[in-house]
Amino acid sequence: MTVSIPDPCALQEGVLLRELHHRVAHGVAFAIDVVTATAVRVEGAEAKRALSDVVELLHGYSDVHRALAMPAGETLIHAAAYIRKLGLGMRRALLDRMDIQLAFATQSIALKPERCWYLGLIVHELVMHAARHACFDARAGQIRIKLTRTGALVNCVILDNGSRPAREASDRELRTATDIARALGGRIEQGFGAEFTSIVLSFPLTERERGANWSIATRQMRVPRRARAAAASDGAALRPRPSADALGGLLSPSHHTDAS
């Protein structure tokens, strides 16, 4: 029998990361308590509203920080649920305040904890990059996260309806996301259009992940045909009209971009 001994360096790195996470989380929680107490004591409706906005902002960043915590254990994680939870935190922390809509189009994909964490770090970086640098002009800002699997390949697309100006100068900020993508065995590519920008992360599944996702796909295929038809009908009824959603067509399988 072969006994595998964990790498002491890796263990130490994990402990340090979790300790750093806890310290930041405690610091944010303390800041929330201080600002909340000040809001109670302060006089004037305008001051109270301003401090309440700060508390809400801090809660949003706290949500994002919790979502980006390094997961423990070996149980596979449903990446779609993880990404949606992260996205809700980003909405609360920043996007809603910038009047930028965040939407999701995700498939059920199971990933190993550490690799799902890597995915979350990249998605957070790319969404924040789009929010900071997208040139929406007079359009309502929209960012979409599309997570799909084709065979053993995962594709995550961050798509926004901002135009290209000012993007190229900020591409150096994507180096961290690019490095993390390499750790997943994948890569990041960009695509530009007149009124949209897309960033695509592609990476392969591991052998364990392939087996788990094959099982998920098999179970989904066993759903009664009538139930699938009813779900499709409901989805069609809820789907926004193309004229009201500038990004809807860009997320269709037939859409292609030129990678830079």
Side-chain angles (χ1 to χ4, degrees), residues 4 6 24 49 64 70 89 107 121 123 140 156 175 193 200 210 218:
S4 59
V24 173
R49 282 195 301 270
V64 173
M70 183 179 181
Q107 292 182 353
L121 292 173
V123 168
C156 183
R175 289 177 182 172
V200 182
R210 287 197 299 270
T218 301

Side-chain angles (χ1 to χ4, degrees), residues 122-191:
I122 293 172
V123 168
H124 176 263
E125 182 70 20
L126 298 184
V127 170
M128 291 297 99
H129 179 268
R132 287 192 300 265
H133 299 293
C135 184
F136 296 112
D137 299 322
R139 299 183 298 275
Q142 297 179 11
I143 299 176
R144 287 204 177 188
I145 302 173
K146 182 180 181 182
L147 182 66
T148 60
R149 179 182 63 84
T150 304
L153 187 68
V154 175
N155 290 308
C156 183
V157 183
I158 309 299
L159 183 70
D160 66 75
N161 64 335
S163 54
R164 186 166 187 166
R167 293 297 184 90
E168 295 174 350
S170 65
D171 284 351
R172 61 182 178 274
E173 297 182 10
L174 299 180
R175 289 177 182 172
T176 299
T178 300
D179 289 341
I180 299 174
R182 291 195 187 101
L184 287 169
R187 62 180 183 176
I188 290 176
E189 296 182 345
Q190 289 183 274

Side-chain angles (χ1 to χ4, degrees), residues 78 108-110 149 211-221:
H78 284 283
S108 295
I109 300 175
R149 179 182 63 84
N213 284 284
W214 182 85
S215 299
I216 292 173
T218 301
R219 288 197 299 270
Q220 290 175 340
M221 290 175 63

Side-chain angles (χ1 to χ4, degrees), residues 2 10 22 31 35 67 103 141 157 248:
T2 302
H22 288 313
V35 178
V157 183

Side-chain angles (χ1 to χ4, degrees), residues 24 43 48 58 86 115 140 167 200 225:
V24 173
E43 297 181 0
K48 287 182 179 293
L58 290 173
L86 174 61
R115 285 165 53 82
R167 293 297 184 90
V200 182
R225 184 176 302 175

